[in-house]
Amino acid sequence: MVILSDKSTLVKYVGLQNKELYELNILLFILILGILVFVHELGHFLVAKKSGVYIHEFSIGMGPLIKTIKGKDGINYSIRALPLGGFVQMAGEIYEDDGKIPKEKFMCNRPWYQRLVILCAGVFNNFLLAILILFITLTSVSAEECVLRFEPARVDFGHINESDGIVTRSFTIINTSAKEITISEIVSTCDCTVADYKNVVIASKQSFEVKVSYNPLNRPGRFDRPLFIFIEGYNAPFEISIIGRVTPRERTIEEIYFYDMGHG
């Protein structure tokens, strides 16, 4: 049994230590926001260009300019220093602002329905992106379907006495897939919970009984502990909970008054 409080297992399960995880979350936030902004601004850009509106610049990011390329269509395609945004700079968004541009190419001079479509195109693109992500997610879930069933679904230890010491219950893992699976680890969140297992190969439609021990010492009250079952070839673990309630034992005087007040 490997305990999640062990540093190596913790890093393996969580993926990164706290500091690295924090930094990763920031990077993921910037990346996701950048994708959302890009898709949003791309909607404005494509519809505006299709509608004949003159576009000065299509930029990913805000702030200082890092790189710009002038396309054959005369539009400046730019990358800027701050990844938290982006924009499409169209001519005449409010009024005619450049005398060198034909009047019909100002956005403010386009028909009202074209202006409306240009304004709504960004939100519409984000909506399409959400549908695409949902489709990919559902496809992935169906491709890697649940291959385990647990009986019982939650391991209930019931009411146990703290003075009874370690208590053991069991649950059954059933392989519902069409191929054999290998259980590589069963991971607990603390050393109070231990599963008795070894690397187990379960044939298709077969089952395996796992014994779980819980140590109630110094843990009075209700408990609800997860167990994570790792299977070779699957990225995410399966989870089952053990629940119960510990009736506290009677404490000794020494345990209640544990400070040494001296002698005399």
Side-chain angles (χ1 to χ4, degrees), residues 25-38 41 59-63 79-87:
N25 284 337
I26 293 176
L27 292 175
L28 286 175
F29 171 77
I30 293 174
L31 176 63
I32 293 171
L33 183 62
I35 294 173
L36 290 175
V37 170
F38 172 76
E41 296 300 333
S59 175
I60 298 300
M62 307 289 286
I79 297 177
R80 295 179 178 268
L82 302 178
L84 304 176
F87 62 87

Side-chain angles (χ1 to χ4, degrees), residues 34 38 57-70 75-87:
F38 172 76
E57 182 181 357
F58 176 62
S59 175
I60 298 300
M62 307 289 286
L65 183 65
I66 296 178
K67 179 72 173 179
T68 185
I69 298 175
K70 195 174 188 68
I75 300 173
N76 292 315
Y77 297 90
S78 305
I79 297 177
R80 295 179 178 268
L82 302 178
L84 304 176
F87 62 87

Side-chain angles (χ1 to χ4, degrees), residues 115-157:
R115 298 199 303 272
L116 179 62
V117 173
I118 291 171
L119 291 174
C120 294
V123 176
F124 181 73
N125 259 24
N126 287 139
F127 179 72
L128 290 181
L129 177 63
I131 294 178
L132 177 62
I133 293 174
L134 180 62
F135 174 78
I136 293 173
T137 302
L138 292 177
T139 303
S140 301
V141 170
S142 60
E144 188 172 291
E145 61 183 4
C146 180
V147 299
L148 296 186
R149 190 173 80 249
F150 302 113
E151 292 184 359
R154 305 183 79 186
V155 184
D156 191 353
F157 277 65

Side-chain angles (χ1 to χ4, degrees), residues 38-223:
F38 172 76
V39 171
H40 182 91
E41 296 300 333
L42 185 64
H44 295 310
F45 170 78
L46 292 176
V47 176
K49 187 177 180 181
K50 185 71 175 178
S51 301
V53 175
Y54 186 90
I55 299 173
H56 294 288
E57 182 181 357
F58 176 62
S59 175
I60 298 300
M62 307 289 286
L65 183 65
I66 296 178
K67 179 72 173 179
T68 185
I69 298 175
K70 195 174 188 68
K72 295 181 179 180
D73 51 9
I75 300 173
N76 292 315
Y77 297 90
S78 305
I79 297 177
R80 295 179 178 268
L82 302 178
L84 304 176
F87 62 87
V88 178
Q89 184 181 0
M90 294 175 281
E93 293 187 38
I94 301 176
Y95 55 86
E96 297 180 11
D97 50 13
D98 192 334
K100 298 179 181 180
I101 298 174
K103 290 183 177 294
E104 67 274 10
K105 288 187 173 294
F106 289 113
M107 181 177 174
C108 59
N109 291 337
R110 304 306 300 169
W112 68 269
Y113 57 86
Q114 284 189 350
R115 298 199 303 272
L116 179 62
V117 173
I118 291 171
L119 291 174
C120 294
V123 176
F124 181 73
N125 259 24
N126 287 139
F127 179 72
L128 290 181
L129 177 63
I131 294 178
L132 177 62
I133 293 174
L134 180 62
F135 174 78
I136 293 173
T137 302
L138 292 177
T139 303
S140 301
V141 170
S142 60
E144 188 172 291
E145 61 183 4
C146 180
V147 299
L148 296 186
R149 190 173 80 249
F150 302 113
E151 292 184 359
R154 305 183 79 186
V155 184
D156 191 353
F157 277 65
H159 284 77
I160 58 178
N161 297 317
E162 184 181 354
S163 57
D164 291 343
I166 296 175
V167 181
T168 301
R169 299 286 186 271
S170 64
F171 68 94
T172 302
I173 299 176
I174 302 172
N175 178 9
T176 60
S177 70
K179 60 182 181 180
E180 70 176 22
I181 60 172
T182 301
I183 298 175
S184 58
E185 285 184 328
I186 300 180
V187 178
S188 173
T189 55
C190 79
D191 57 2
C192 62
T193 307
V194 177
D196 181 15
Y197 87 104
K198 296 180 181 178
N199 280 15
V200 178
V201 177
I202 307 177
S204 174
K205 311 305 179 184
Q206 299 301 308
S207 62
F208 176 77
E209 184 180 65
V210 178
K211 293 184 178 180
V212 183
S213 299
Y214 183 78
N215 186 356
L217 182 62
N218 297 324
R219 296 181 177 90
R222 184 180 178 277
F223 62 90

Side-chain angles (χ1 to χ4, degrees), residues 2-12 188-189:
V2 183
I3 305 302
L4 195 60
S5 57
D6 178 75
K7 184 176 179 180
S8 61
T9 306
L10 179 62
V11 172
K12 180 177 180 181
S188 173
T189 55

